[in-house]
Amino acid sequence: MPELSDKNPENWNQLRKKIIGLGETSLRKSHYPAFQQRQAENETIRMISELFLDVELLEDVLKRLPQFLSERFKYPLAAITLINKHTGRLEIISKTDNFETNPDIPDEELIVEISSQTVATGTTKIIGKSSITEKHETNGKDQKLLRIVCAPLKTKLQCIGTILLADIKDKPETESGINTLKVIANYLAQEINRKQTETELQETNRELSDYVYIVTNFLKNPLFTIKGYLYTIKDEPESLNEHFDRIIFQADKMIGVLEKLVQLSRAGKLKLRKETIEVSSHIQAVFNLIKPEDIRVKLNIENDIPSIRVDQGSIIQIFSSLLQNSIDFADPDKDELIINISGYETSSRTHLNISDNGLGIKPAIIEKVFNPGFTMGKKTGAGFGLAIAKKLMDAHGGRISIYSGGEKQGTEFQLHFPK
Amino acid sequence: MNKPLELRKFVAPEFIFGTGALEMTGRYAKNLGGEKALIVTDPGVIEAGWADKVIASLNEQSIPYTVFSEVTPNPKDFEVMKGAEVFSAEECNLIVTVGGGSPMDCAKGIGVVSSNGGYILDYEGVDMISNPIPPIICIPTTAGTSADVSQFAIIADIPNKTKIAIISKMLVPDVALVDPETTTTMDSYLTACTGMDALTHAIEAYVSNASSPVTDLLALNAIRLISGNLIKAIENPFDLTYRTPMMLGSLEAGLAFSNASLGAVHAMAHSLGGLMDLPHGECNAILLEYVVDYNFESSAERYSGIAEAFGINISGISNVQKKNQLVDRIRTFRKNAGILKSLHDIGVNPDSIGALSENAYKDPCLVTNPAEPTLNDIKELYARAIG
Ligand SMILES: [Fe+2]
């Protein structure tokens, strides 16, 4: 406001004109609802951006988002689905806790189905009770009164997943509520995309340093050994025959490591051709190939193992790595090595267990077994098998985990495949 | 008609006038999209039962509400901030304010802060509010302040011991429910003070250099209504025959001053309210006759019109006589209404004149005063009113 005390007539006149009110710049009051919506969006975006700043791992951010969205949009159920980059399929990444316990809310299959349609059309979908009722009728389940809103997570280039909100009451969704959800979904998509790229870059960096480690530890030593033999031969040419086989042995070792390295780097970029695979016959075939002469091995494969959808080349490599691991770490104090294979399925996943009665793994190092080049003083191989198996499982959108009771307590691998 | 070619606009809210208007609160709250209302009021109004009537009307439409009543006379900056916090915390999207000028000004301030953030004092001045504020329903319970139709909000700036004026079209409420019945619970002194405030609004709007033919019409009629009914309303507090024209006079005065702005009386009263927390109406009542005396010459024709509206026969008398008769009439009217104190009696002493005058001199109301007083002129006016 112009100061009046300077008694400048020009200022007085200007202020008087402003008071009369011609040429004022304020918005109409009727803009309040639009303003309120914008304010709510800004506030939500601010909170999400804080979440992304505070929480380092994308995984952890995604875990917290459903609860946040559920509170923000006042829907009891919220879930986030993302497209798995390797399989191209939508997966439920996280959801509110009430998911498992509340029979009134849609099952995972339904969420994935609605999300797939939403991603395909790229538009926010509101589903009232009728279509859900239909869906449940075909499932033979009870009719439910449900309200589902599904918004695509769209970046500039693509759809990467969905936000899904559901309520057991069929409350009408306001247009401004939907618009806000769209704005939030777009923002969230960008942030997730950015964090994913960041994570991938970090992963690549880590792999690069893994490779440097592998090269220095697994290629340098044989190379020095070869160099040593060559000097000896130079001084005593007659020892050539004696050292020749040793040189060849070291060179073969290096070639072996290099081949594994190539497999490992390929495993992440492989184009997968998924087909339905019968598990027991494949495991049996792999086992026949690598069965050792010097120890007794009993392979028990359960009868009712469900089939899995995987890339055949990859699954053979995975089975071979895991069986080889059991053979390598058989307990010499036991009469025979027993390997048990079992499996079961849930609505969205197939699970395989491969357990043995071998040496087991100390809890202290169990975390490291999937690192490339990790060995536990075993004679053959260079410690790449499990690293390759893990990378192949990741590429399938699956997971591999390891359990052991400790030393001499055997080892169990669990494989989880998406359907 | 002054300067007929100058552009003028007239801003007024939708308003409903008449007994029972209060009962339309719920319906209007619903029409305005209210999901949850913040009721801004004060303890006196709650005691008189008007807040409960508003709540009953909201209940009828099943609109949830929160009551905020931590408002004192001359609403303070921190009270506004507290109310804005409640508004956000309770996720309100509509304000209903019932009471005199204090709750209404506070409610407007709450609206400003809830939409624009920051501190209420940041919005001092004319047209300084950029974001639209939530819908506001005003239910006045005094026949005086007219915040229910005006684009003004006056807030006490506690750190600087002054009052600031926020003037913006945004502050015009969405609807005013002007129900004369609500004024029946005022005691006689409050009736007198608020009535004199309304009279001051009408007089200052009429002589303002920003007046227009439309504001003139309203201002003159307001003077007639108030001068003809205030004393009777004080004598017969429950008789709507007098309360109703008083409420109408206040409404018309409010519509006039909201568009024509005010003058030196209000500039000086705002300063007294800010520095010494004195009641607004009482200050106006005491100051009015001195300012009329000072201003008369600068706008003799307009003041003659006011004298006529008071019922003074002005034919054939000189300007000085007109002035003396008008000033006398206003003084007698004030005394008849029961306001007998001088500024000195209500605690103002000559030591404060310097600070009071400085603040009054900066008040935007002074811009539209017909005469352009110097700082010394204002000091002299205060000195005379202290007595
Ligand atoms: Fe006033």
Side-chain angles (χ1 to χ4, degrees):
Chain A
M1 180 166 38
E3 278 286 313
L4 305 182
S5 43
D6 58 12
K7 206 57 179 151
N8 177 349
E10 195 50 36
N11 278 357
W12 279 60
N13 225 0
Q14 269 176 17
L15 186 55
R16 182 177 158 271
K17 269 191 186 152
K18 275 183 112 179
I19 289 171
I20 294 170
L22 300 166
E24 60 193 358
T25 54
S26 39
L27 287 169
R28 288 187 144 277
K29 269 196 85 179
S30 53
H31 286 74
Y32 183 69
F35 165 77
Q36 218 184 6
Q37 186 195 327
R38 206 177 63 219
Q39 213 182 19
E41 286 164 11
N42 289 345
E43 176 63 11
T44 313
I45 285 175
R46 190 189 60 75
M47 287 164 83
I48 293 176
S49 74
E50 256 174 29
L51 191 62
F52 272 89
L53 278 177
D54 290 352
V55 183
E56 204 182 328
L57 292 177
L58 176 61
E59 218 182 309
D60 294 338
V61 178
L62 293 172
K63 252 183 232 159
R64 289 200 210 173
L65 274 173
Q67 192 56 40
F68 172 80
L69 294 168
S70 152
E71 282 164 22
R72 167 63 185 79
F73 290 99
K74 302 198 169 73
Y75 275 79
L77 168 80
I80 300 236
T81 69
L82 290 181
I83 295 175
N84 181 310
K85 285 192 174 170
H86 300 293
T87 61
R89 286 162 64 97
L90 269 173
E91 290 167 11
I92 298 173
I93 299 298
S94 59
K95 61 221 177 209
T96 40
D97 295 338
N98 55 0
F99 197 83
E100 239 84 49
T101 52
N102 192 337
D104 285 335
I105 59 180
D107 54 29
E108 301 199 7
E109 210 179 306
L110 188 54
I111 291 182
V112 170
E113 189 191 308
I114 292 167
S115 295
S116 304
Q117 290 169 15
T118 305
V119 166
T121 56
T123 52
T124 302
K125 222 174 154 54
I126 307 167
I127 298 167
K129 63 177 182 183
S130 56
S131 59
I132 300 306
T133 308
E134 220 171 276
K135 170 75 195 163
H136 278 259
E137 267 170 4
T138 62
N139 280 3
K141 293 182 186 170
D142 290 345
Q143 292 189 358
K144 307 288 181 198
L145 293 178
L146 279 171
R147 184 90 193 169
I148 299 183
V149 181
C150 190
L153 292 167
K154 275 193 287 196
T155 67
K156 283 204 180 87
L157 299 171
Q158 61 196 345
C159 225
I160 60 167
T162 65
I163 295 174
L164 186 138
L165 303 169
D167 197 338
I168 45 178
K169 292 189 295 275
D170 184 21
K171 62 171 179 187
E173 188 49 73
T174 61
E175 200 182 324
S176 77
I178 289 296
N179 283 339
T180 305
L181 181 62
K182 281 181 192 165
V183 172
I184 300 306
N186 286 345
Y187 175 74
L188 208 49
Q190 277 176 36
E191 286 291 298
I192 292 173
N193 198 36
R194 191 183 13 242
K195 200 97 179 177
Q196 275 177 341
T197 314
E198 210 178 282
T199 313
E200 274 164 22
L201 275 173
Q202 279 169 356
E203 181 72 11
T204 311
N205 272 342
R206 206 180 52 74
E207 272 177 16
L208 272 176
S209 65
D210 280 352
Y211 290 148
V212 171
Y213 168 84
I214 291 162
V215 167
T216 46
N217 283 278
F218 292 87
L219 299 180
K220 216 169 96 189
N221 288 345
L223 206 49
F224 272 111
T225 315
I226 291 172
K227 197 177 163 192
Y229 287 134
L230 288 174
Y231 272 112
T232 316
I233 294 166
K234 192 188 174 200
D235 291 344
E236 308 163 33
E238 65 279 9
S239 66
L240 172 64
N241 277 345
E242 185 191 330
H243 291 315
F244 182 80
D245 286 345
R246 291 169 184 161
I247 292 173
I248 291 296
F249 176 74
Q250 293 295 340
D252 281 346
K253 212 162 146 185
M254 288 173 70
I255 289 167
V257 170
L258 286 170
E259 273 172 355
K260 293 286 182 190
L261 267 183
V262 170
Q263 280 179 16
L264 186 65
S265 98
R266 253 196 221 139
K269 297 159 191 116
L270 227 51
K271 192 94 189 123
L272 301 173
R273 269 207 315 257
K274 284 201 182 181
E275 51 191 312
T276 304
I277 298 273
E278 209 273 306
V279 173
S280 56
S281 60
H282 276 79
I283 289 201
Q284 191 62 55
V286 170
F287 180 71
N288 291 344
L289 274 176
I290 62 168
K291 190 161 75 179
E293 307 277 304
D294 49 347
I295 41 176
R296 284 177 56 192
V297 186
K298 193 174 164 201
L299 181 66
N300 294 325
I301 305 177
E302 262 180 29
N303 282 332
D304 50 354
I305 296 178
S307 50
I308 48 177
R309 267 194 70 79
V310 284
D311 177 70
Q312 190 175 24
S314 304
I315 199 65
I316 288 174
Q317 217 164 1
I318 292 168
F319 287 160
S320 136
S321 292
L322 298 182
L323 293 177
Q324 189 65 54
N325 190 73
S326 290
I327 292 165
D328 287 346
F329 296 100
D331 185 349
D333 296 340
K334 287 186 180 127
D335 291 344
E336 60 176 359
L337 169 67
I338 304 169
I339 303 176
N340 291 312
I341 317 284
S342 61
Y344 63 99
E345 59 186 328
T346 53
S347 62
S348 62
R349 298 193 160 234
T350 312
H351 307 266
L352 286 186
N353 280 5
I354 301 176
S355 59
D356 64 37
N357 65 341
L359 283 172
I361 297 167
K362 286 187 222 158
I365 53 168
I366 203 160
E367 300 257 296
K368 295 183 186 160
V369 297
F370 295 112
N371 291 358
F374 178 80
T375 56
M376 288 184 301
K378 63 176 177 177
K379 302 143 263 162
T380 53
F384 290 99
L386 295 183
I388 292 169
K390 178 178 187 323
K391 251 190 142 176
L392 288 169
M393 284 305 289
D394 287 347
H396 277 81
R399 241 176 58 220
I400 180 167
S401 44
I402 178 169
Y403 299 94
S404 175
E407 268 184 291
K408 285 190 173 283
Q409 302 298 310
T411 306
E412 178 181 342
F413 286 99
Q414 297 185 351
L415 303 178
H416 314 275
F417 298 91
K419 277 186 169 172
Chain B
M1 203 178 280
N2 80 336
K3 296 183 191 169
L5 288 177
E6 212 179 346
L7 290 172
R8 286 286 188 276
K9 81 169 172 189
F10 190 85
V11 180
E14 178 176 353
F15 61 82
I16 295 187
F17 183 89
T19 306
L22 182 147
E23 281 145 40
M24 305 184 82
T25 310
R27 189 189 309 168
Y28 270 91
K30 189 158 202 189
N31 290 352
L32 290 165
E35 280 156 20
K36 184 164 186 185
L38 182 73
I39 300 177
V40 183
T41 183
D42 66 32
V45 178
I46 293 177
E47 202 184 324
W50 302 117
D52 280 342
K53 284 211 160 181
V54 166
I55 288 170
S57 177
L58 288 173
N59 280 341
E60 245 171 57
Q61 300 288 337
S62 315
I63 294 171
Y65 60 87
T66 296
V67 177
F68 177 74
S69 64
E70 294 168 48
V71 185
T72 54
N74 296 319
K76 321 282 186 277
D77 47 5
F78 60 86
E79 291 166 354
V80 171
M81 298 312 291
K82 180 109 188 264
E85 250 173 59
V86 175
F87 183 88
S88 314
E90 296 287 329
E91 296 183 21
C92 302
N93 74 338
L94 170 104
I95 298 175
V96 177
T97 174
V98 51
S102 302
M104 285 194 276
D105 279 347
C106 186
K108 289 178 176 185
I110 290 169
V112 171
V113 173
S114 82
S115 287
N116 293 266
Y119 199 68
I120 183 62
L121 301 176
D122 302 343
Y123 303 99
E124 175 178 8
V126 186
D127 195 24
M128 301 291 282
I129 300 165
S130 43
N131 294 333
I133 70 174
I136 296 185
I137 298 174
C138 279
I139 302 142
T141 59
T142 63
T145 69
S146 297
D148 49 310
V149 289
S150 80
Q151 45 183 338
F152 287 58
I154 311 290
I155 307 291
D157 172 353
I158 296 306
N160 294 311
K161 287 197 156 206
T162 178
K163 268 186 160 185
I164 61 145
I166 303 171
I167 305 171
S168 165
K169 197 172 61 183
M170 294 282 199
L171 296 182
V172 178
D174 294 75
V175 65
L177 304 174
V178 187
D179 189 337
E181 205 178 347
T182 59
T183 61
T184 54
T185 49
M186 282 196 291
D187 64 34
S188 56
Y189 199 68
L190 185 59
T191 306
C193 289
T194 51
M196 287 302 287
D197 187 21
L199 179 66
T200 311
H201 293 156
I203 293 177
E204 295 212 283
Y206 188 67
V207 299
S208 158
N209 60 28
S211 65
S212 75
V214 178
T215 60
D216 289 349
L217 203 69
L218 292 160
L220 279 183
N221 197 52
I223 294 167
R224 284 183 209 112
L225 288 168
I226 295 163
S227 64
N229 292 281
L230 177 59
I231 310 301
K232 286 173 194 150
I234 292 167
E235 288 163 356
N236 310 283
F238 299 102
D239 193 339
L240 284 177
T241 322
Y242 309 113
R243 290 291 193 185
T244 302
M246 271 310 293
M247 197 60 154
L248 184 60
S250 165
L251 175 71
E252 290 181 351
L255 290 168
F257 94 76
S258 177
N259 290 282
S261 194
L262 296 158
V265 183
H266 268 79
M268 293 173 68
H270 289 158
S271 175
L272 282 165
L275 202 63
M276 323 186 77
D277 204 14
L278 295 171
H280 176 73
E282 196 173 27
C283 294
N284 277 331
I286 298 169
L287 291 166
L288 179 61
E289 60 211 52
Y290 301 102
V291 174
V292 170
D293 184 54
Y294 171 84
N295 273 347
F296 194 94
E297 256 169 77
S298 65
S299 190
E301 200 185 324
R302 294 236 142 206
Y303 277 107
S304 306
I306 291 170
E308 273 189 304
F310 263 99
I312 299 168
N313 183 359
I314 55 163
S315 56
I317 59 172
S318 73
N319 269 354
V320 179
Q321 284 170 312
K322 284 180 198 163
K323 176 175 90 173
N324 289 339
Q325 287 203 28
L326 178 60
V327 171
D328 272 348
R329 177 64 69 92
I330 292 171
R331 184 178 299 122
T332 316
F333 189 66
R334 163 174 69 80
K335 287 182 175 165
N336 288 346
I339 303 172
L340 306 172
K341 294 173 187 164
S342 69
L343 282 188
H344 179 264
D345 298 328
I346 59 173
V348 186
N349 63 54
D351 299 345
S352 327
I353 290 180
L356 284 169
S357 306
E358 298 262 338
N359 284 347
Y361 199 63
K362 288 182 205 158
D363 195 287
C365 287
L366 208 56
V367 177
T368 43
N369 193 61
E372 275 185 33
T374 62
L375 188 58
N376 264 333
D377 293 342
I378 292 175
K379 286 180 181 168
E380 246 169 64
L381 282 167
Y382 273 124
R384 287 181 62 195
I386 289 171

